[in-house]
Amino acid sequence: MIPNVQVVSESPVIGRTSTIDDLLKAKHEQEMSGAEATILTMMGLNPVVFGLPGGAILPLEQYITAYKSCFRYFQVKHEMHAPVAAGAYGEVAGVPAFALVTSGPGVANSMTGLYENEMEFERSVTVSGNGFLDVLKDRRKRGFQVARAVEGGLAFGKNAYLVEDRNTIQRILIDAFRESMTLPFGSILVDIPKDIQTKGTTRFEYFEPPKLDNQYTGNLDYKVLHEFDEALKSASRPFVVIGRGALHARAEVWELIERIGLPFGYTLKGKGVLPDDHPQNYGLVGQHGKISTNEAIENADLVLMIGCNGDDRAFLNPENFTKGKRAVINPYLTNALARLKIDYPIGVDAKLALTELLKHVEGDEQHEKLMPWNAKIREAYDGEEVYNTKGNGMSPVDFMNGINEFANPEMLVLDVGEHQMHAAKLIRLNSGFYYGSELYGHTPPEKRRSYKRRVYTSGTSGTMATSIEKAFGAKVANPNTDVYVVIGDGGSEMH
């Protein structure tokens, strides 16, 4: 019997330089404008800002300029791109950056970015300027570039706040920062009218860097895990689907896959978690995957989804995508439970759940038992031709194969469209160790540790023209990362 355990993972650390900390201490209990209090609070949370200047945020921009030595400020070309870049920073760094946009059409444009981050579970806080508060609160009134941004933020993001009292600016910003990092991760909008920024004063209060709650804390249901462990041992046709949530559990996923000899595929955002040339890897699943891969899932007697949200492009028919039992490991189970019948819901982080599971999994007998199942999938998969249209020029398949000849990015950022699907199926990440002859993988530990490449793209939201900003935000978060972008003509035209 697997014991009941409380599982906790490490929280991301909010870094603050001594220069910034000394400045905030010096400003403690000083009277200042709402604009200055806003910028100092942003500085104390994370001084990384992606923005585009405009009239309703000029007071904020002026204070960013005044404290420019403390900020990393990056100007975008369009307000949609500010939250996207901030969310990409959050994806890589684990803590949100700020987006800064102006009122009216500015904040309206940013809604696409809020939607992107909300649907993709990416952390960001967008600060918008607006017209005067009395106009915003009276729906009979209209004003120049006034937009009821909070209503849009609530519709397209996780939450939204209208600052009606300059004395609440600090509390709201700190709460928004924390909330973006609470499961489910998402985008928060803080809308600050221009008179709240400029009229009157507020007293600034020094604050310590927030101690963030553990993002993946929960009770691991030992009964469900034990039942799944027994189901896994007895399964003769298991299949694993790897999603984005498995990315930081690479070592544990890898060990489970190879110890037992489990065949697997991946969702769009799960590509690269394990090597694309791994002999047990049967590629993209769902709507754009191979028929043989989807048939393996359909005929499996146990499907384990690791870090998957259960979205419709990966699991098209919620009732019949598999005839077998279903298990999912994901700290946020809401969507999977709403769409799919799940027999073993394991509502904690993949790294934590698999670490506990691996203590009780033995694989020697499983390899031999699962060999006919793996061989059957391999025969069908290898026998299925890759659809390759030949026209007057280079085909998409030939193009992607050509990329494999010269590119080996640490992060492959894909835009949205047909090229996205070709790349997800054909570009090889973390590859070169296997050559397709083996039925099972036996990867040395040092080789496993050397594979860190991943894909990053807009998945459920399907937002075109986000790839360059995603790459930009990711590069800001980790300048040493080798980032490549694959984008179609449509996405390029929209930049």
Side-chain angles (χ1 to χ4, degrees):
M1 177 69 72
I2 298 174
N4 194 12
V5 292
Q6 172 80 11
V7 289
V8 179
S9 69
E10 295 181 359
S11 298
V13 177
I14 301 298
R16 181 187 289 180
T17 66
S18 58
T19 300
I20 290 176
D21 200 59
D22 290 344
L23 174 60
L24 298 183
K25 288 176 179 176
K27 294 289 184 178
H28 179 57
E29 294 191 339
Q30 285 190 20
E31 292 289 331
M32 61 182 62
S33 68
E36 186 173 10
T38 298
I39 293 307
L40 289 175
T41 305
M42 291 168 61
M43 182 196 302
L45 292 168
N46 187 8
V48 178
V49 180
F50 300 89
L52 188 62
I57 56 171
L58 284 181
L60 303 177
E61 295 274 357
Q62 287 166 350
Y63 279 107
I64 286 181
T65 301
Y67 298 116
K68 63 182 179 181
S69 63
C70 297
F71 275 95
R72 298 175 69 198
Y73 181 92
F74 303 92
Q75 184 170 312
V76 297
K77 293 175 64 178
H78 188 280
E79 288 89 357
M80 163 190 162
H81 298 149
V84 172
Y89 179 98
E91 169 75 5
V92 173
V95 296
F98 286 97
L100 185 59
V101 298
T102 193
S103 62
V107 70
N109 289 337
S110 75
M111 291 297 158
T112 303
L114 267 69
Y115 167 78
E116 167 70 16
N117 293 347
E118 178 63 14
M119 293 293 282
E120 304 300 324
F121 298 102
E122 293 180 4
R123 314 156 182 87
S124 69
V125 178
T126 298
V127 176
S128 60
N130 216 321
F132 292 108
L133 182 62
D134 69 310
V135 179
L136 280 169
K137 295 186 71 174
D138 188 343
R139 298 194 68 87
R140 299 171 302 172
K141 296 180 180 179
R142 296 191 179 191
F144 177 69
Q145 290 191 343
V146 168
R148 289 173 175 81
V150 168
E151 295 177 15
L154 290 171
F156 293 107
K158 180 179 180 180
N159 204 352
Y161 298 90
L162 174 64
V163 180
E164 301 183 42
D165 181 348
R166 64 188 55 83
N167 295 313
T168 65
I169 287 173
Q170 285 191 263
R171 175 183 60 79
I172 289 175
L173 283 170
I174 294 170
D175 287 350
F177 194 83
R178 286 180 177 276
E179 191 173 355
S180 73
M181 301 184 63
T182 304
L183 285 171
F185 307 139
S187 52
I188 312 295
L189 175 72
V190 179
D191 193 39
I192 310 178
K194 199 166 184 179
D195 47 338
I196 298 295
Q197 298 178 43
T198 58
K199 292 184 178 180
T201 61
T202 184
R203 179 172 293 183
F204 180 79
E205 298 289 338
Y206 171 82
F207 62 98
E208 297 283 347
K211 293 181 179 179
L212 300 170
D213 297 332
N214 290 306
Q215 297 181 30
Y216 304 108
T217 302
N219 287 313
L220 178 57
D221 190 327
Y222 74 94
K223 182 175 183 294
V224 174
L225 193 66
H226 174 70
E227 290 173 352
F228 170 70
D229 180 37
E230 293 298 314
L232 186 59
K233 289 174 181 175
S234 63
S236 59
R237 302 187 310 278
F239 197 92
V240 176
V241 180
I242 298 174
R244 157 67 184 86
L247 183 64
H248 71 293
R250 264 194 175 123
E252 292 75 18
V253 175
W254 211 322
E255 180 61 28
L256 181 70
I257 291 291
E258 293 197 351
R259 185 184 296 185
I260 299 179
L262 296 170
F264 69 92
Y266 54 80
T267 67
L268 174 61
K269 298 183 77 170
K271 179 181 175 65
V273 172
L274 294 191
D276 283 327
D277 67 346
H278 193 284
Q280 292 157 239
N281 187 344
Y282 293 99
L284 188 67
V285 306
Q287 183 176 352
H288 296 279
K290 276 193 169 184
I291 294 173
S292 53
T293 303
N294 289 314
E295 285 182 342
I297 295 173
E298 182 182 357
N299 295 317
D301 58 3
L302 177 65
V303 173
L304 170 60
M305 296 162 272
I306 305 177
C308 300
N309 289 311
D311 291 346
D312 52 0
R313 285 206 298 179
F315 308 98
L316 281 77
N317 189 327
E319 297 294 327
N320 301 316
F321 76 91
T322 181
K323 300 171 184 174
K325 297 285 188 179
R326 301 116 179 254
V328 61
I329 300 175
N330 194 325
Y332 185 66
L333 291 171
T334 302
N335 189 62
L337 293 178
R339 283 202 73 242
L340 312 172
K341 176 184 173 292
I342 302 296
D343 300 285
Y344 309 106
I346 302 170
V348 294
D349 170 61
K351 190 177 188 70
L352 304 172
L354 294 179
T355 296
E356 190 63 26
L357 180 65
L358 285 166
K359 295 176 183 177
H360 308 275
V361 169
E362 297 179 0
D364 294 341
E365 296 180 1
Q366 293 285 80
H367 268 238
E368 187 171 349
K369 184 178 80 170
L370 298 180
M371 191 169 288
W373 171 237
N374 277 281
K376 182 178 180 180
I377 301 173
R378 169 67 70 83
E379 182 181 10
Y381 185 83
D382 289 348
E384 186 175 343
E385 292 185 12
V386 175
Y387 180 66
N388 188 3
T389 56
K390 293 289 186 179
N392 295 325
M394 180 181 289
S395 74
V397 173
D398 293 338
F399 178 77
M400 297 302 167
N401 288 332
I403 290 178
N404 286 323
E405 297 301 317
F406 72 86
N408 194 18
E410 292 176 276
M411 177 177 282
L412 175 66
V413 184
L414 307 177
D415 213 87
V416 171
E418 184 180 355
H419 68 279
Q420 182 187 32
M421 297 303 129
H422 285 298
K425 290 186 286 187
L426 297 171
I427 290 183
R428 298 190 296 271
L429 296 179
N430 297 316
S431 298
F433 182 72
Y434 291 104
Y435 300 97
S437 59
E438 305 91 346
L439 187 61
Y440 287 131
H442 301 281
T443 316
E446 64 275 10
K447 180 60 69 173
R448 294 186 190 181
R449 289 191 292 269
S450 71
Y451 286 147
K452 299 178 181 179
R453 304 179 191 281
R454 61 165 296 190
V455 75
Y456 182 35
T457 189
S458 178
T460 305
S461 64
T463 310
M464 189 178 286
T466 57
S467 58
I468 294 176
E469 286 65 41
K470 283 181 178 291
F472 180 34
K475 191 75 172 177
V476 170
N478 186 356
N480 296 320
T481 302
D482 185 25
V483 181
Y484 279 54
V485 173
V486 178
I487 186 171
D489 55 348
S492 300
E493 290 282 341
M494 294 171 67
H495 277 84

